[in-house]
Amino acid sequence: MTSVLEPSALTGRPDSPVRRAPDPPKNAPDALEAAFARAHAAADALMAAIASAGSSPEHLDGPQLDRMLRHAQALANRHERIRNRSLEVVRAAREAGCATHDDDGQFAARRLRTHGAETARQARLAQELGNEQPTAAPATVPGAGPATPASTAGQAVPEATPPRPTARAWDTGEISERHAHVICQALDQLPEALGTAERGRVEEELVRWASQMSPDSLRRKARRALALVEPDRDTVDQHHDGIVRAEEEAAWQAAELWLRDRGDGTVQGQFVLPVLQGRMLAKALDALVTPRRLARRANGGALGAPGSSWKDTQIDWAHEKGKAFAELIDHLPTDHLASKVNAVLLVRTDLETLRGETDRVGVTDSGDELSAGEVRRLASNAGIIPVVMGRESQPLDLGRQTRTFSDSQRAALATRYEQCAEEDCNRPFSWCEIHHAAPWAPVRGPDGRVLHPGGGRTDLRNAIPLCGRHHRRLMDPQVTHRVDRDEQGRAVVRFERRTGWTRW
C-alpha cells in the first residue's frame, strides 16, 4: 500500500497547487477573492490528507512526522501573517478615505469577534512591518534548506521596497507572530543613537535566533541584543539592566487583585503579580503541597483511605493548592509582615553589583531576571540568598548578607516609628523595609557617575523604615530625595524630581 500522503504534501514542491501563481485578475478585489478561494480549497485538501494520514499512521515514520509538524507550523505562521497583512490593508483603506471607521483595531475586532486590545496590538505590528510584496515563497520546511521562488508565470511583479528581515521571515513561515512581536520590541528598546545599518544587523541576528528558539527564550536573549553592535560590556550591562528595570516597573503598574464574596462561605478572586512575587508565592504553595507532605497527611488519615499511600490516591492539585493558599494566609506574620520576604530565592549576581559598583542584571533560580536595583533592595531586606559570582562566573559566597538589619534592631526601631518615613505615606511600620540613610554600597547615576561612595553602617542611627513603594523609588534615576529629622530625631524622607546627578 502506498502512503496516504502525496509526496507534494510533505515536500512543498513548486508544482504543488498552493505554489502555482495564476494569471492576474482584472482588479484587486477580484484578485483577493480568487486567491482566498484557492487558499480555502488547498486548506480543505490538506486537512483531508492529514485526516487520511491519521487513519493509517503505520505508513509514517519519525522523519515524516517531523516534516508534517514543521509544515503545519510554517503554514500556521503564514496564516497569522496573512491576517496581519490584512490589518495593514484596513489601515491603508481608512487613510485613503475609502472606509469610515476611526479605529482599525476596533473595526477588525468587531468583525473578527476577537479581543479589541489584542487586535489593536496586532494592527500596530502590521503597520510597523508593512505590506510590501513578498520576495519569495518557501519551497521547503523552515530549516531544511534554501527556499525556491514560486512560479510567477503570467504575472508582472512590480518593483517595490523589499520587506524587512522580520517581515520576510514571517512571510515564509520561519517565525511566528509572537516572535515578530519580540523582535520589534527589542528593536524599539535599542538606544536611539544607533544607526540604521547597526539596527539592520541586530534585526537580522534576532531573526536568525527566532528561527531556532521559542518566543520566551528569544525575549530573554534579545534583552542583550545591543551586544551585537556594542563592544563595551559595561554599556551593554547598563542597557540590559535598564530594560529589566522598566519591565519591573511596568509589572508593578499592572499589579491588581479583586475579591468577591460568593455568598456560600467562600471568596473568589483573581490577581496579577510581578513575576518575582508570583514565583515566591508559587514556591511557598509548592512547599505546602509537596508529595512528601501529602503522604504524611494520608498516612494520618487526612487524605484518602486509612493506611493508603498518596501514590494510590488521585490528587486534585488545584484543590490542594487552594487549601495551601488559605493556610498560608492564616499564618501571615501580622506583627511584622516585611521583616523577611516569605520565600527564599537564590539570585546569581556578582560582587560588584551587590556593592553598587556596577549594574548587572541578576538571575533567580527560577530563571527570571531582576534589575540590579531590585537585587540590592532584596538583599538589604534579607529577602534573598545571593549567589555572588566573580568575573569568571565562579561562586564567591553563598548566603552572606552583611547589609541586613537584625530582628532586634527592627524591634527597637518600631518603638520610634509607627509608619513609613516618607512624609506623606501612612503605610504601617509592619509593611516597611529598613533602608540605610547613608548607603551601605556606592550609588551610581544613569551615566555611571558615583553619587554616593557608600560605607553606611548597619546600625539604628542609619536605619530608616520605608514601605516597598518608596524603597523602590530610591532606585528611580528620575528622582532624588533628602532626609530631614523631626524634633524626636525621626527621619522624614522627601522625594524631588532630579535636575542633576551631583546629589544622592
Side-chain angles (χ1 to χ4, degrees):
M1 178 180 287
T2 59
S3 172
V4 294
L5 282 182
E6 293 297 328
S8 61
L10 287 182
T11 59
R13 292 199 312 246
D15 60 350
S16 168
V18 180
R19 307 296 180 193
R20 199 175 297 128
D23 292 333
K26 295 180 180 180
N27 54 55
D30 288 345
L32 278 174
E33 290 296 332
F36 277 125
R38 290 192 301 274
H40 282 297
D44 290 339
L46 183 57
M47 286 189 286
I50 292 174
S52 297
S55 64
S56 301
E58 65 274 9
H59 300 289
L60 295 173
D61 56 18
Q64 288 175 317
L65 292 174
D66 177 73
R67 289 179 62 79
M68 178 187 68
L69 291 175
R70 288 175 179 269
H71 270 299
Q73 184 59 53
L75 283 174
N77 293 342
R78 300 191 78 191
H79 290 165
E80 288 178 345
R81 178 59 171 149
I82 290 170
R83 181 187 59 195
N84 188 258
R85 280 179 173 270
S86 69
L87 293 175
E88 180 61 2
V89 174
V90 170
R91 183 191 68 82
R94 174 182 53 79
E95 293 185 350
C98 302
T100 59
H101 67 273
D102 298 318
D103 185 284
D104 300 329
Q106 291 179 358
F107 176 85
R110 285 196 299 269
R111 282 150 181 81
L112 301 178
R113 299 179 296 280
T114 56
H115 192 274
E118 177 64 19
T119 306
R121 187 171 73 101
Q122 294 168 351
R124 290 192 296 270
L125 179 64
Q127 184 174 1
E128 185 166 357
L129 294 182
N131 189 30
E132 284 78 18
Q133 286 288 338
T135 55
T140 59
V141 177
T148 301
S151 172
T152 57
Q155 286 193 10
V157 180
E159 292 187 5
T161 303
R164 287 174 45 177
T166 305
R168 184 177 66 244
W170 194 7
D171 284 344
T172 58
E174 296 176 45
I175 66 174
S176 68
E177 179 180 344
R178 289 186 61 198
H179 286 112
H181 274 294
V182 172
I183 292 171
C184 290
Q185 182 184 45
L187 293 172
D188 290 341
Q189 291 170 336
L190 292 174
E192 294 182 1
L194 213 59
T196 303
E198 293 171 313
R199 288 179 177 273
R201 287 167 51 195
V202 172
E203 184 173 5
E204 289 280 5
E205 191 65 13
L206 287 172
V207 168
R208 189 180 70 82
W209 292 346
S211 66
Q212 301 172 358
M213 61 182 62
S214 70
D216 290 337
S217 297
L218 177 64
R219 180 177 289 106
R220 288 190 290 269
K221 191 174 178 68
R223 290 176 179 140
R224 292 189 66 84
L226 182 61
L228 295 168
V229 292
E230 173 55 64
D232 182 62
R233 180 184 175 183
D234 289 340
T235 300
V236 176
D237 287 340
Q238 290 178 14
H239 180 259
H240 184 191
D241 183 67
I243 291 174
V244 176
R245 187 171 64 246
E247 290 179 356
E248 290 171 350
E249 179 62 29
W252 279 98
Q253 294 294 330
E256 63 180 15
L257 179 145
W258 62 261
L259 298 172
R260 180 176 67 87
D261 189 341
R262 303 206 303 179
D264 59 357
T266 64
V267 171
Q268 181 182 18
Q270 181 175 325
F271 58 80
V272 176
L273 292 176
V275 66
L276 175 63
Q277 284 69 27
R279 302 292 191 198
M280 294 161 76
L281 175 61
K283 282 196 169 191
L285 295 179
D286 287 343
L288 290 172
V289 296
T290 58
R292 185 181 298 275
R293 189 172 190 268
L294 293 180
R296 288 198 299 268
R297 290 170 52 195
N299 292 334
L303 183 67
S308 66
S309 169
W310 68 271
K311 294 181 180 179
D312 301 322
T313 305
Q314 186 175 359
I315 298 174
D316 183 345
W317 292 105
H319 176 53
E320 292 300 324
K321 284 195 175 184
K323 292 188 293 184
F325 195 15
E327 183 180 348
L328 182 65
I329 293 172
D330 200 36
H331 290 82
L332 287 177
T334 55
D335 54 337
H336 53 277
L337 283 173
S339 62
K340 293 184 184 294
V341 180
N342 45 340
V344 175
L345 286 175
L346 297 178
V347 177
R348 295 198 308 275
T349 184
D350 54 65
L351 193 58
E352 292 84 359
T353 296
L354 199 62
R355 288 174 172 170
E357 298 170 1
T358 189
D359 288 329
R360 296 194 183 100
V361 166
V363 182
T364 71
D365 56 354
S366 55
D368 302 302
E369 292 183 329
L370 303 178
S371 67
E374 187 75 350
V375 170
R376 288 192 287 267
R377 184 186 72 84
L378 289 175
S380 69
N381 197 43
I384 63 170
I385 296 178
V387 183
V388 183
M389 313 295 283
R391 282 288 183 180
E392 302 303 322
S393 297
Q394 296 298 316
L396 302 178
D397 191 13
L398 178 64
R400 183 158 54 97
Q401 302 183 39
T402 58
R403 298 174 58 168
T404 307
F405 288 90
S406 68
D407 287 345
S408 59
Q409 286 176 310
R410 184 183 178 90
L413 203 62
T415 64
R416 302 176 60 189
Y417 293 88
E418 295 180 356
Q419 57 195 25
C420 173
E422 200 273 342
E423 60 177 342
D424 297 319
C425 185
N426 61 0
R427 285 177 173 78
F429 179 88
S430 61
W431 291 22
C432 292
E433 304 163 359
I434 310 304
H435 166 65
H436 291 74
W440 185 85
V443 178
R444 308 174 76 89
D447 58 356
R449 188 180 309 172
V450 175
L451 305 181
H452 193 288
R457 297 175 60 85
T458 304
D459 56 34
L460 288 176
R461 290 174 296 178
N462 198 37
I464 300 178
L466 289 173
C467 67
R469 175 188 297 179
H470 291 120
H471 202 177
R472 284 189 295 276
R473 187 172 295 176
L474 294 176
M475 306 300 173
D476 186 349
Q478 303 302 317
V479 299
T480 185
H481 71 281
R482 72 174 191 270
V483 178
D484 299 322
R485 298 279 176 176
D486 62 15
E487 57 275 10
Q488 283 79 37
R490 292 188 294 255
V492 179
V493 178
R494 295 181 170 90
F495 290 93
E496 303 170 351
R497 181 63 58 183
R498 189 183 293 278
T499 57
W501 307 110
T502 59
R503 188 178 70 180
W504 161 244

